[in-house]
Amino acid sequence: MQRILVTGGAGFIGSNFVHHLVAHTDAVVSVLDKLTYAASREALDGLPAERVSLVVGDVADQPLVEKLVGEHDAVVHFAAESHNDNSLSEPGPFIQTNIVGTFCLLEACRKHDTRLHHVSTDEVYGDLALDDPQRFTEDTPYNPSSPYSAAKAGSDHLVRAWVRSFGVRATISNCSNNYGPWQHVEKFIPRQVTNVLEGGRPKVYGAGTNVRDWIHVADHSSAVWTILQHGRIGETYLIGADGERTNLEVVAMILAHLGRPADDYDLVADRAGHDLRYAIDSTKLRTELGWTPSYADFAAGLAATIDWYAEHRDWWAPHKHATEAAYAAKGQA
Ligand code: NAD
Ligand code: DAU
């Protein structure tokens, strides 16, 4: 039995990972989460109290983090400010949580010699041209574009330095765009789905030709658990499920599933510095650790996700108005 500390475990991916641990392992889990606007206590509802507990706190609170890390066998670090658009309006919290928070965690793991898995993003590599035959690999140079991705890149570099200089037992994963239940309505797929469910139209940045490489959140969780168990210390693993789609293709699938005409969307002001394309080559993870995704069919996974949002209005509706008001203020509604 392992005691695992999951930072950001009340967020979209962290909560899915906690469910994965309860379902597939005998680990006892503590969640450390600040419960920012992005968190959902509801996402942890129904989990057995003897397996999962929640500590409300900040990953940048050094004494708290040192105490908690000392009580666990391993840490999986999801806690972050995660939305690019927010990082353009107010970068400060991204520096504080993503960089200073990771620093605090690393110091605690160094002190207690605790195993750490750091969850990061493919955005640290910048973007690819739409027609580039290459995909990101573990050897792609770092080239982040936004305050969010720059802060995540900074956190990755801290982890690498703490491995090399202090012998911290850490691994890193860089994953592509996740979709699935419990994702905040500020993000692309939930925003468009809930717009349509409310009788409105999807809002697509620029020309809608940007490409994202979609992976179901459950596949991200299984990959992180595989790396935590079997990954080599100091190594980076890219996580992806071959899910490249343009934003307009995704919108077309959402509109078709909800019975709306294919042209029933609006093009709105583009995001500043908008990355063109992300694409992951996850060969290392698949060949070295034997991981494969379960959700090979993006259309089926997206349809199930749309249905989930239709059935969980009570959860997202209270956040919808303020989220759309913030987009409207930026000319993106
Ligand atoms: P999210 O915004 O849904 O959740 C983040 C969670 O972290 C929230 O519960 C929030 O309350 C918590 N948190 C924020 N600041 C904190 C702090 N200072 N102390 C403690 N908790 C804090 O994010 P997500 O989409 O679930 O992303 C989780 C992680 O995965 C992030 O590190 C992100 O960079 C990474 N990631 C996300 C994606 C994606 O597609 N969403 C893809 C690759 C990697
Ligand atoms: O690649 C991994 C990253 O994926 C994670 O590290 C981030 O935490 C996560 O938020 C996500 O970043 P993106 O910026 O790619 O995701 P977002 O959902 O914000 O946007 C996806 C695409 O859709 C992007 O090209 C911008 C576009 N978009 C987004 C919104 C919110 C729109 O066209 N309209 C919108 O309303």
Side-chain angles (χ1 to χ4, degrees), residues 6-16 18 31-44 54-55 78-79 182 315:
V6 179
T7 74
F12 165 46
I13 305 170
S15 62
N16 189 283
V18 173
V31 168
L32 170 62
D33 200 295
K34 192 177 170 185
L35 298 183
T36 69
Y37 78 96
S40 291
R41 274 176 185 270
E42 302 96 312
L44 299 172
L54 170 66
V55 178
F78 291 94
W182 302 111
W315 173 69

Side-chain angles (χ1 to χ4, degrees), residues 3-26:
R3 297 164 300 165
I4 301 183
L5 179 64
V6 179
T7 74
F12 165 46
I13 305 170
S15 62
N16 189 283
F17 182 71
V18 173
H19 280 271
H20 182 91
L21 290 179
V22 170
H24 300 288
T25 78
D26 63 357

Side-chain angles (χ1 to χ4, degrees), residues 13 81-85 120-123 148-149 152 175-178 183 185-192 195 202-206 208 210-214 247 251 268 270-271 274-276 278 324 327 332:
I13 305 170
E81 288 292 338
S82 68
H83 193 39
N84 274 297
D85 289 320
S120 192
T121 169
D122 59 356
E123 295 194 15
Y148 162 69
S149 50
K152 291 296 292 189
C175 186
S176 60
N177 285 64
N178 286 217
Q183 189 171 31
V185 290
E186 69 189 353
K187 302 294 199 301
F188 178 62
I189 288 177
R191 184 181 184 206
Q192 315 314 342
N195 277 3
K203 308 292 175 184
V204 181
Y205 294 169
N210 304 64
V211 171
R212 294 297 182 263
D213 188 354
W214 295 99
N247 292 339
V251 162
V268 298
D270 207 352
R271 170 184 286 172
H274 194 174
D275 280 339
L276 283 175
Y278 307 137
E324 286 306 312
Y327 279 123
Q332 291 177 314

Side-chain angles (χ1 to χ4, degrees), residues 125 136-142 160 236-239 281-285:
Y125 302 115
F136 297 138
T137 72
E138 287 79 4
D139 297 323
T140 303
Y142 275 55
R160 288 169 182 221
T236 289
Y237 296 89
L238 264 56
I239 304 173
D281 178 346
S282 57
T283 302
K284 178 179 175 182
L285 175 62

Side-chain angles (χ1 to χ4, degrees), residues 203-239:
K203 308 292 175 184
V204 181
Y205 294 169
T209 48
N210 304 64
V211 171
R212 294 297 182 263
D213 188 354
W214 295 99
I215 180 173
H216 195 279
V217 63
D219 284 331
H220 190 177
S221 290
S222 69
V224 167
W225 177 239
T226 299
I227 298 165
L228 185 68
Q229 285 181 293
H230 305 296
R232 283 182 292 138
I233 297 303
E235 291 292 314
T236 289
Y237 296 89
L238 264 56
I239 304 173

